[in-house]
Amino acid sequence: MNAVETKRLTSADVETAAAIIRSGGLLGIPTETVYGLGADGLNQEAVHAIFRAKGRPQDNPLILHVPGTEWLERYCENIPDKAYDLTEKFWPGPLTLILPRKPQVPDAVTAGLPTVGMRCPACEVTRLVIQKADTPIAAPSGNTSGRPSPTSAQDMLEDMDGKIDAILDDGPCSVGVESTILDLTVTPPRLLRPGGVTLEELEEVLGEVAVDDAVRRLMAPGEQPKAPGMKYRHYAPKAPVTVVKGDPDMTAGYIVARMGEKSGVICFDEFKGYFRGHPVEPIGPVHDQAEQARRIFDALRAFDHLEVTDIWAQSPTDDGIGLAVTNRLNKAAGFHIIEV
Ligand code: TXA
Ligand code: MG
């Protein structure tokens, strides 16, 4: 692809942003979770360009972003009542529903699967762009494939400057980890990726929810997780990561005793004084899981600009949105986890 100059747009530029989508271009879109790499979800060529810009494997399907529940029937069929219980409670918001697709959804979006992921982002300016363009926006996270997801326009430009037409800057993301993905084509519904809407919140609406194995452990070679993207090494900084799980005082002590001269540390705010002389990325107080979610990808990205040979991380707990944070951290570590 020829290098293009990436324009910076703001919420005043909805018309320009929508025109880029209509003309088959690539647009960085803000959402409450992470920035996305968007294109017209009904235009095969535009969707192929997303895969090229990201270096994304072809077998990894994209999510379609829509401005409201009314658009579900345009692209999905056999929609169960449960879907509407969920959209009423959680849309617009960080929940992606996997539903049977209608034929007009291009194969390029679904990687040939009979299902499609549908999401209505909480970010108002992005919903306006979709409405103005009058087409769903297909968008993966706006990082180069394998890199941590971008939680600001600046992060996204670090990976995509010159590869996309424009980025719509709406400030930093308020959630900071990607949407929850829930497969509604199976019984009980299955959590494929933990995210901004928690497992506990889903269970309150649905009763039983199964959790896909790929959420909590490394897939063996040849094993196929239900969300194709969960099999790839992901969210990874360049240096290897070790996650240390347990009581925060114990994990801090464990790391101090074992870290090397050029180790970096991801830790809770309360412990940042423990690792003097080392690059430290605090991710928030022990009990503030929402802040940990907002800061985890930044922390992982930050080490790529620092001289570290390896990275140690204190593990958050995996209740609430913590399940999404530990999932991203564990994946960055290739599930290299030590319990103390
Ligand atoms: O918060 C988010 O979901 C962000 C923002 C931009 O909306 N998007 C995002 O997209 O995280 P992406 O492409 O990075 O992750 C989508 C995940 C991948 O793991 C993919 O395999 C899975 O969703 N997925 C998409 N369609 C699917 C389908 N039909 N069945 C199963 N998994 C699917
Ligand atoms: Mg992604």
Side-chain angles (χ1 to χ4, degrees):
M1 195 169 56
N2 291 330
V4 287
E5 195 192 328
T6 300
K7 281 196 217 92
R8 278 171 177 266
L9 305 177
T10 69
S11 55
D13 303 312
V14 168
E15 298 283 349
T16 310
I20 289 170
I21 295 292
R22 289 297 323 168
S23 66
L26 295 180
L27 175 73
I29 55 165
T31 83
E32 74 282 24
T33 58
V34 302
Y35 274 71
L37 172 49
D40 179 351
L42 301 182
N43 175 340
Q44 290 260 21
E45 273 317 300
V47 172
H48 284 138
I50 294 178
F51 282 84
R52 284 197 299 273
K54 254 186 93 89
R56 183 174 175 106
Q58 293 288 342
D59 69 345
N60 195 0
L62 307 181
I63 295 169
L64 279 188
H65 296 72
V66 293
T69 313
E70 328 75 72
W71 283 37
L72 265 187
E73 280 106 88
R74 294 194 194 179
Y75 310 111
C76 302
E77 57 195 9
N78 300 324
I79 304 170
D81 291 343
K82 287 195 269 285
Y84 295 104
D85 297 339
L86 291 165
T87 58
E88 193 173 317
K89 184 121 198 234
F90 300 116
W91 276 17
L95 176 64
T96 297
L97 300 176
I98 306 293
L99 292 163
R101 65 148 160 163
K102 281 190 171 162
Q104 64 262 46
V105 180
D107 277 340
V109 170
T110 67
L113 293 175
T115 56
V116 60
M118 302 294 295
R119 155 154 154 76
C120 175
C123 186
E124 195 180 1
V125 67
T126 293
R127 294 203 307 276
L128 279 173
V129 172
I130 302 168
Q131 233 142 14
K132 278 265 177 252
D134 196 29
T135 189
I137 293 187
S141 51
N143 50 289
T144 300
S145 211
R147 295 257 295 143
S149 296
T151 53
S152 68
Q154 196 46 50
D155 284 351
M156 182 161 173
L157 284 173
E158 199 179 289
D159 286 14
M160 292 297 154
D161 203 8
K163 296 183 176 174
I164 61 176
D165 297 291
I167 185 163
L168 183 52
D169 189 347
D170 194 41
C173 302
S174 59
V175 176
V177 289
E178 305 90 336
S179 64
T180 303
I181 301 182
L182 185 74
D183 186 354
L184 285 179
T185 68
V186 292
T187 309
R190 179 173 285 260
L191 179 73
L192 303 186
R193 179 176 74 182
V197 171
T198 67
L199 176 60
E200 293 87 340
E201 286 173 313
L202 293 174
E203 285 168 338
E204 236 171 73
V205 175
L206 299 169
E208 192 186 352
V209 177
V211 178
D212 201 67
D213 273 353
V215 171
R216 292 199 174 105
R217 67 173 178 81
L218 190 62
M219 292 287 95
E223 236 181 328
Q224 293 296 338
K226 287 281 188 284
M230 293 290 276
K231 73 172 171 282
Y232 295 106
R233 181 164 184 261
H234 206 191
Y235 314 119
K238 290 163 190 158
V241 181
T242 303
V243 175
V244 188
K245 205 174 151 179
D247 174 83
D249 285 310
M250 304 279 289
T251 57
Y254 185 94
I255 294 170
V256 167
R258 281 160 188 83
M259 66 198 309
E261 205 182 316
K262 292 208 154 178
S263 299
V265 184
I266 292 173
C267 67
F268 299 116
D269 287 1
E270 292 89 335
F271 294 90
K272 55 189 175 199
Y274 273 51
F275 311 102
R276 284 190 200 289
H278 292 265
V280 166
E281 283 295 321
I283 54 167
V286 170
H287 296 293
D288 189 346
Q289 291 179 309
E291 183 63 12
Q292 293 161 22
R294 276 189 290 272
R295 279 160 58 177
I296 190 65
F297 281 134
D298 251 16
L300 290 168
R301 268 180 183 267
F303 285 112
D304 285 346
H305 304 289
L306 298 165
E307 281 280 303
V308 295
T309 50
D310 56 344
I311 300 163
W312 295 82
Q314 287 188 290
S315 180
T317 53
D318 61 8
D319 54 320
I321 198 170
L323 184 62
V325 181
T326 56
N327 169 261
R328 306 310 189 269
L329 194 54
N330 293 344
K331 287 189 70 165
F335 285 85
H336 185 222
I337 306 166
I338 292 168
E339 283 201 49
V340 299

